[in-house]
Amino acid sequence: MTRYLVTSALPYANGPIHFGHVAGAYLPADVYVRTLRMLGEDVLYVCGTDEHGVAITINAEKAGQEYGEYVKHWHADIKQTFDELGIEFDVFSGTSQCAQHVETSQEFFTQLDANGFLEKRTTEQLFCPKDEMFLADRYVVGTCYSCGKPGARGDECPSCGTWIDPLQLTEPACKLCGTTPERKATTHWYLDLPKLRDAKIGDWIQNHEWKPNVAAFIQNLLDDVPQRAITRDMRWGVPVPSEVSGDEQDKVLYVWFDAPIGYVSFTKELMAARGTPDAWKDWWQSPDTRLVHFIGKDNIPFHCLVFPSMLYGVQQDYVMPWQVPANEFYNLAGGKFSTSEGRTLDLDTFFETYDREVTRFYILSTLPETADAEFNLDNLVTLNNAALAGNLGNLITRVLKFIAKNNDNQVPQLTEAHREQYDTMMLTDCGEIGDPAEWVTQYRFRKAAETLIANASVANVFMQRTEPWALRKTDPEAAASALNTLCEYIHWLARWMVPFLPNKAQALWEMLGRPGKVADQPWPGVPQRATWRSFEGGEALGEPAALFPRMDAPVAADA
RNA sequence: GGCGAGGUAGCUCAGUUGGUUAGAGCACAGGCUUCAUAAGCCUGGGGUCGCGGGUUCAAGUCCCGCCCUCGCUACCA
């Protein structure tokens, strides 16, 4: 049986997560997973924080915290944001916390080495004699040899954008203590991407079907793949396995090497917790698995080239990615979200004013699927008032309050004589609009959200045409039948809403007097004339309430 | 510097492999309705598709040049 193994890019445990991340990799994945589950598919959704790397050690030291303490803080912070937005993983671990991660990463490294896909090389690097450590990447600062300006980092000059070779920096200095570093030889391992490309990955990439924006991105990727160093001289990280390292001391796997392996080790952790420690193989080493990576576009090279190369290179029948529905970037009205530049929203304050699920729906409606898009508060308010409050929400209250007032809050009776006419009226338009899930499975989430609203609109038209408020005076049976039909349709909408608005869907479910969790219902698909009705008439309804209060226009931003 | 994306109605955006009068939502105007969250329904106005060339019977859609905006550049999706 087909299995869907869904991952979202591991967020870096170095700061709060923002809507840009949410829109890029997490919210679409969550909607996808919820939809597949209701469709009856076997799905596993894996994520966790990426907790190694130089940026974390620098910032933890600045904050005066232990590395482990530092990443746990951000792990919890990030997890809370996901909880607030209703993003639910099967496992949300972390690369420094997961018990299986070190062993799994080391196995990858050892196997790649044994299979001839690693190369060991010795080069000169900068070493700080005072701190007694090699100055990897951003641990070294200096004057740019290209533009002559100070402030260049060991990897890149922020002034002119030149990709820096730290050995050539003018007046290099240790970022921690300012000491002038010296050159010292060090040995590292390199992932032989050219060899992996020629062995398999090149053909695989060429022949794989990618989402259009992904295909455009990776087109030139293969021509000039370099070998990449996958080890670093530091202590925070997964140690290079001793059987390979030999005499080399204090070397860890480079963070981008061990991070994606987290997808595998977190799966192992989950299965171990479930008491079936070998079950991870059913997901990672089975031809029945469809591996789907949700990422932002900056992660395309990793997930389309590097990680597949690693999965192939260990030669243990790992699955290759099935789809990589990468999104473009989601900006904050006018510029990008950036924690470091203060272009960000304080989510705690934000959620005091703006409903979480409305926010979730707005982000889904504006996802950067094909091009960069932006988050705009005015548009969020407009979407809420027009589509959610005016269309979907008002449909629900106008029908249910009418029934509460005039039919003792019970589902009105359908008279057989009216069934065909009302089925036709309701289902013809709805059939043309179609099933939101069909768009979800094509990763067209904006279109899916739009389809949900368009379907609600069908019922507003139905009510306008049948006019039950007038009809009940002239033909009560017809009026009851029309209202019965509207109840059926809202019953349908409640299930369609689940992936997009999970809590609102549940609230609606209860207003309809339905027991249990709506998320446990099977996906209803497009209503079919012969089978779509399920109310007998006479069922007690719950208390009708407005699901989507109107919002006031936001106060003009002081930006 | 390298790479990439985008410039389509007032606003936010759709526009498959080039093919009849360029679409949606919001906003705006007029009409209808009163069950409902000043909500709903119907109709309408509004665009020489960034600029200049080219290919073609036919281009928003392909090619060349230019202008503008933005992003990435491997440790912020």
Side-chain angles (χ1 to χ4, degrees):
Chain A
M1 179 190 168
T2 301
R3 290 186 171 86
Y4 288 85
L5 177 53
V6 180
T7 73
S8 287
L10 304 190
Y12 200 47
N14 190 33
I17 203 152
H18 55 62
F19 287 160
H21 303 108
V22 169
Y26 307 103
L27 201 43
D30 185 71
V31 172
Y32 184 72
V33 166
R34 287 176 188 268
T35 305
L36 288 181
R37 289 224 161 97
M38 288 179 79
L39 285 166
E41 301 288 354
D42 202 3
V43 189
L44 199 66
Y45 185 18
V46 176
C47 194
T49 40
D50 173 9
E51 300 172 341
H52 293 137
V54 176
I56 279 174
T57 59
I58 290 179
N59 285 311
E61 284 160 20
K62 260 189 217 161
Q65 286 182 303
E66 297 290 329
Y67 302 152
E69 191 187 330
Y70 181 81
V71 300
K72 273 181 188 159
H73 167 258
W74 288 117
H75 176 91
D77 185 279
I78 290 167
K79 181 66 168 60
Q80 188 192 335
T81 303
F82 288 146
D83 289 344
E84 287 175 334
L85 284 164
I87 295 167
E88 294 177 359
F89 309 99
D90 288 300
V91 56
F92 188 77
S93 187
T95 52
S96 73
Q97 305 175 51
C98 171
Q100 289 78 3
H101 188 64
V102 168
E103 188 187 351
T104 307
S105 302
Q106 291 183 335
E107 271 174 21
F108 265 78
F109 188 88
T110 308
Q111 275 303 312
L112 284 166
D113 188 48
N115 296 335
F117 292 119
L118 296 188
E119 195 174 303
K120 188 178 169 185
R121 226 186 288 160
T122 300
T123 58
E124 285 200 317
Q125 288 194 5
L126 296 177
F127 182 86
C128 175
K130 186 173 173 217
D131 292 320
E132 296 187 329
M133 61 182 282
F134 282 97
L135 302 179
D137 306 312
R138 298 192 177 183
Y139 267 107
V140 57
V141 293
T143 301
C144 176
Y145 50 82
S146 177
C147 69
K149 289 184 182 155
R153 303 182 304 234
D155 53 354
E156 185 190 9
C157 170
S159 301
C160 66
T162 300
W163 199 353
I164 295 289
D165 172 3
L167 291 176
Q168 294 185 42
L169 276 178
T170 314
E171 297 174 17
C174 169
K175 181 158 181 169
L176 299 178
C177 64
T179 305
T180 303
E182 53 198 42
R183 290 172 169 231
K184 195 170 167 182
T186 181
T187 300
H188 285 294
W189 282 262
Y190 291 71
L191 181 62
D192 198 340
L193 287 170
K195 190 171 175 182
L196 284 156
R197 172 194 60 195
D198 297 341
K200 154 104 180 181
I201 298 300
D203 287 342
W204 174 74
I205 287 180
Q206 296 289 349
N207 298 324
H208 199 71
E209 242 183 71
W210 303 98
K211 199 180 155 196
N213 63 326
V214 176
F217 202 100
I218 60 179
Q219 206 161 12
N220 306 323
L221 207 60
L222 288 173
D223 297 338
D224 195 27
V225 252
Q227 295 186 335
R228 302 297 306 184
I230 56 169
T231 53
R232 283 292 185 274
D233 289 297
M234 53 189 291
R235 292 187 181 164
W236 179 242
V238 175
V240 172
S242 53
E243 63 264 40
V244 179
S245 66
D247 296 337
E248 303 290 344
Q249 297 290 313
D250 291 337
K251 297 197 187 285
V252 299
L253 303 182
Y254 189 19
V255 63
W256 68 245
F257 181 84
D258 87 84
I261 295 172
Y263 297 141
V264 181
S265 44
F266 300 164
T267 308
K268 288 184 179 177
E269 179 183 337
L270 174 67
M271 293 308 164
R274 287 182 179 176
T276 52
D278 285 336
W280 69 273
K281 293 179 185 170
D282 297 339
W283 294 91
W284 281 99
Q285 298 180 333
S286 159
D288 296 333
T289 295
R290 292 180 168 179
L291 174 60
V292 183
H293 292 304
F294 282 86
I295 57 170
K297 65 177 169 186
D298 58 338
N299 249 321
I300 290 173
F302 282 137
H303 288 81
C304 295
L305 172 65
V306 180
F307 190 49
S309 293
M310 290 160 58
L311 289 171
Y312 166 75
V314 295
Q315 305 281 329
Q316 290 179 348
D317 298 322
Y318 274 96
V319 290
M320 297 301 252
W322 181 61
Q323 273 301 323
V324 181
N327 278 303
E328 302 295 306
F329 281 91
Y330 199 56
N331 300 314
L332 175 59
K336 65 179 217 162
F337 281 97
S338 167
T339 314
S340 54
E341 291 168 33
R343 292 190 55 79
T344 177
L345 297 167
D346 177 3
L347 294 185
D348 291 337
T349 317
F350 186 84
F351 286 136
E352 282 171 16
T353 312
Y354 298 96
D355 184 277
R356 292 172 172 78
E357 297 225 329
V358 170
T359 304
R360 179 179 161 108
F361 193 80
Y362 171 72
I363 294 174
L364 281 168
S365 300
T366 52
L367 285 184
E369 288 172 354
T370 57
D372 290 358
E374 66 177 34
F375 180 92
N376 179 305
L377 258 190
D378 291 305
N379 293 347
L380 182 151
V381 171
T382 300
L383 180 84
N384 177 73
N385 290 349
L388 294 177
N391 193 329
L392 176 59
N394 184 51
L395 167 74
I396 293 162
T397 46
R398 73 193 294 207
V399 171
L400 297 184
K401 285 192 177 177
F402 189 90
I403 292 172
K405 202 181 294 176
N406 299 303
N407 204 62
D408 205 18
N409 210 25
Q410 293 176 0
V411 177
Q413 293 290 336
L414 174 74
T415 308
E416 273 307 312
H418 296 105
R419 175 197 287 262
E420 191 181 340
Q421 177 197 357
Y422 287 148
D423 277 353
T424 302
M425 267 178 92
M426 187 67 98
L427 301 185
T428 305
D429 289 345
C430 173
E432 283 171 15
I433 294 164
D435 182 354
E438 286 182 19
W439 296 109
V440 170
T441 53
Q442 292 173 51
Y443 315 106
R444 300 279 305 274
F445 300 96
R446 298 169 73 137
K447 191 80 180 166
E450 192 182 296
T451 302
L452 176 68
I453 296 301
N455 275 318
S457 201
V458 167
N460 274 317
V461 173
F462 179 91
M463 187 146 179
Q464 201 69 36
R465 287 191 191 151
T466 52
E467 297 186 317
W469 56 88
L471 201 56
R472 64 186 278 264
K473 293 168 188 160
T474 59
D475 187 347
E477 287 193 350
S481 296
L483 289 164
N484 173 288
T485 303
L486 283 161
C487 283
E488 293 286 5
Y489 196 77
I490 291 172
H491 185 223
W492 216 266
L493 287 173
R495 285 168 283 168
W496 269 339
M497 280 164 63
V498 171
F500 311 94
L501 300 153
N503 293 314
K504 304 282 189 187
Q506 181 62 30
L508 177 55
W509 193 246
E510 286 161 19
M511 274 184 227
L512 290 167
R514 288 305 191 172
K517 290 197 167 180
V518 63
D520 295 336
Q521 293 291 312
W523 187 257
V526 172
Q528 299 299 317
R529 184 181 282 266
T531 55
W532 80 294
R533 291 177 180 275
S534 59
F535 284 112
E536 303 269 322
E539 291 94 336
L541 294 168
E543 184 76 19
L547 284 178
F548 304 98
R550 287 181 60 84
M551 293 177 180
D552 295 328
V555 183
D558 53 333

